[in-house]
Amino acid sequence: MEVDHSTINRWVIKYSPQLEEAFHQRKRPVWVSWHLDETYLRVKGQWYYLYRAVDKTGQTVDFLLTEQRDERAATRFLTQAIRRHGVPEKITIDGSAANAAAIQSYNKAHGTAIVIRQVKYLNNIVEQDHRGVKRVTRPMLGFKSSKAAQCTLAGIELMHMLRKGQLEEGVNQGLSAAEQFCALAA
């Protein structure tokens, strides 16, 4: 059976969201100190923003692709990450006013006390983690649609997290990333 690029692309768009959801149900817990940042990608010839967070040990907390880079998008990302992983003790961000405002508004709305550390150079851990995603997406020269971008990024981030050993059973059994992927898909 011969498989071409368009077939693989259809599989990625169809199965990546399902595999990501299955992964999040079996994901190892993350640390309570997060580093949050955004990077940008081309979608339909325009810049979209990929919000990402990693914990202090470099484990991926969550990610979200948005069209805008503003407080509303940052709040949406923060709410999604907290829903999946619980409230962190502190979040380190760069000079982004939108991220700071999102955390402050979340604290106010939910009565939490997330400490904001707004120091550009302390966020290098997430900046370096962007490289793994950028290395894979750069040769693609952008995405044709936002849905394709979301699904493809879900697959890229999933493999990135598997390589880091974030699947609960994968680390304990000493499985490779490919074996963890197969176990997840089964």
Side-chain angles (χ1 to χ4, degrees):
M1 180 173 117
E2 192 173 316
V3 178
D4 61 353
H5 292 291
S6 60
T7 302
I8 293 172
N9 189 38
R10 283 194 303 271
W11 289 348
V12 167
I13 290 171
K14 182 173 182 176
Y15 296 115
S16 286
Q18 296 169 11
L19 289 168
E20 181 199 6
E21 194 57 42
F23 173 80
H24 279 290
Q25 293 172 1
R26 297 160 57 183
K27 184 178 178 186
R28 288 178 40 204
V30 295
W31 198 252
V32 293
S33 177
W34 297 355
H35 295 260
L36 189 145
D37 192 32
E38 67 280 331
T39 187
Y40 50 90
L41 300 167
R42 279 260 189 224
V43 178
K44 298 186 286 187
Q46 296 182 337
W47 292 116
Y48 274 54
Y49 300 93
L50 178 62
Y51 282 84
R52 301 182 72 247
V54 298
D55 68 7
K56 77 175 198 173
T57 63
Q59 303 296 304
T60 303
V61 175
D62 215 336
F63 61 94
L64 177 71
L65 184 69
T66 64
E67 204 170 337
Q68 302 296 320
R69 181 183 175 201
D70 56 9
E71 182 182 346
R72 193 168 141 224
T75 301
R76 197 168 125 218
F77 171 69
L78 185 64
T79 303
Q80 173 183 306
I82 289 173
R83 191 175 339 113
R84 284 184 171 162
H85 299 285
V87 179
E89 289 177 5
K90 63 183 151 191
I91 297 178
T92 303
I93 58 175
D94 55 11
S96 171
N99 290 339
I103 297 167
Q104 289 168 350
S105 68
Y106 188 90
N107 278 340
K108 190 175 182 180
H110 296 89
T112 55
I114 301 169
V115 176
I116 302 169
R117 291 193 319 175
Q118 198 163 4
V119 182
K120 181 179 181 177
Y121 302 106
L122 290 178
N123 230 13
N124 287 346
I125 190 168
V126 72
E127 295 287 353
Q128 292 303 313
D129 200 61
H130 288 329
R131 294 167 101 186
V133 176
K134 290 283 207 168
R135 187 184 72 245
V136 176
T137 58
R138 191 171 288 119
M140 294 178 188
L141 303 173
F143 296 96
K144 301 271 188 259
S145 73
S146 59
K147 181 180 186 229
Q150 279 282 21
C151 294
T152 304
L153 286 168
I156 291 168
E157 290 280 5
L158 172 65
M159 287 308 298
H160 196 56
M161 289 184 281
L162 288 175
R163 274 189 227 101
K164 290 181 187 179
Q166 289 187 255
L167 184 66
E168 189 72 54
E169 306 89 52
V171 174
N172 298 340
Q173 297 175 1
L175 301 175
S176 70
E179 291 168 330
Q180 291 178 58
F181 182 83
C182 290
L184 192 62

